[in-house]
Amino acid sequence: NAGVMQNPRHLVRRRGQEARLRCSPMKGHSHVYWYRQLPEEGLKFMVYLQKENIIDESGMPKERFSAEFPKEGPSILRIQQVVRGDSAAYFCASSLPGGSANTGELFFGEGSRLTVL
Amino acid sequence: SQKIEQNSEALNIQEGKTATLTCNYTNYSPAYLQWYRQDPGRGPVFLLLIRENEKEKRKERLKVTFDTTLKQSLFHITASQPADSATYLCAHTGRRALTFGSGTRLQVQP
């Protein structure tokens, strides 16, 4: 009865490299959300996806960041050409069909902590 | 623009007392508010959801109120314990996903 699984838990990259963060939602959940949390700050919404669809990417930086949730496999948040300001904890959450936020709770993973040297 | 705000200053209380955390919202009327707990280095965990037509919701030692006139939700932990020390986040329905406040850190002293 696994919860939301994120990997890697910790990732170190040098400036200019690419970071790929993976998220497997809870069983039966078809909605995935990515949030970013800077040290001592709140969670900032980035993107909301269903299988093979991006529903809302209003919180995603326009450049270097992309997300996908393919028909098979985990959701992936990809950051190209990382910069030091990308250092943060990236949390994935999932919810039941019908969407998060209207009535249902979000189930969060333990996060992926990206450090950019 | 829609805003959800929490007191960013940490709240320090003695064990056994009631902790009260505040969440204020402006420029909109959310249909639901949710409260989450986050421990250091961990993901947030859902605690309670309260609807706009509910004045109060309880779960064990937790109580949440929703005052649409004051545009405020209060989160209470009665008989607080050191294990309750964590950051507590309120969240509301954004356009399509939950939008979180910045959280209030609670420290319960033994």
Side-chain angles (χ1 to χ4, degrees), chain A residues 9 33 35 37 40-45 48 55-56 58 91 100-111 113, chain B residues 32 34 36 38 40-46 49 51 89 92-103 105:
Chain A
R9 290 294 309 278
Y33 311 78
Y35 287 82
Q37 188 172 41
E40 305 302 319
E41 292 191 15
L43 288 160
K44 301 296 183 192
F45 167 73
Y48 164 28
I55 305 303
D56 182 354
S58 59
F91 288 96
S100 80
N102 291 328
T103 58
E105 65 185 274
L106 290 185
F107 294 82
F108 281 87
E110 297 291 26
R113 278 148 189 85
Chain B
Y32 308 90
Q34 299 188 22
Y36 288 74
Q38 186 175 24
R42 308 293 299 273
V45 175
F46 172 80
L49 177 151
R51 295 174 173 77
L89 306 164
H92 76 106
T93 307
R95 289 194 312 178
R96 288 178 177 167
L98 276 180
T99 299
F100 286 83
S102 56
R105 188 184 306 176

Side-chain angles (χ1 to χ4, degrees), chain A residues 49-98:
Chain A
L49 310 104
Q50 293 178 20
K51 288 277 186 184
E52 300 184 284
N53 277 312
I54 295 175
I55 305 303
D56 182 354
E57 56 181 349
S58 59
M60 195 94 102
K62 293 286 186 281
E63 296 178 351
R64 302 188 298 108
F65 285 72
S66 63
E68 63 175 9
F69 189 15
K71 188 176 180 181
E72 301 291 337
S75 174
I76 295 174
L77 179 67
R78 183 183 178 204
I79 312 172
Q80 295 178 289
Q81 300 175 327
V82 297
V83 301
R84 289 216 173 105
D86 297 333
S87 296
Y90 292 84
F91 288 96
C92 170
S94 70
S95 71
L96 290 166

Side-chain angles (χ1 to χ4, degrees), chain A residues 25-45:
Chain A
M26 282 185 70
K27 189 174 181 181
H29 287 192
S30 56
H31 295 235
V32 164
Y33 311 78
W34 286 93
Y35 287 82
R36 177 164 63 177
Q37 188 172 41
L38 294 168
E40 305 302 319
E41 292 191 15
L43 288 160
K44 301 296 183 192
F45 167 73

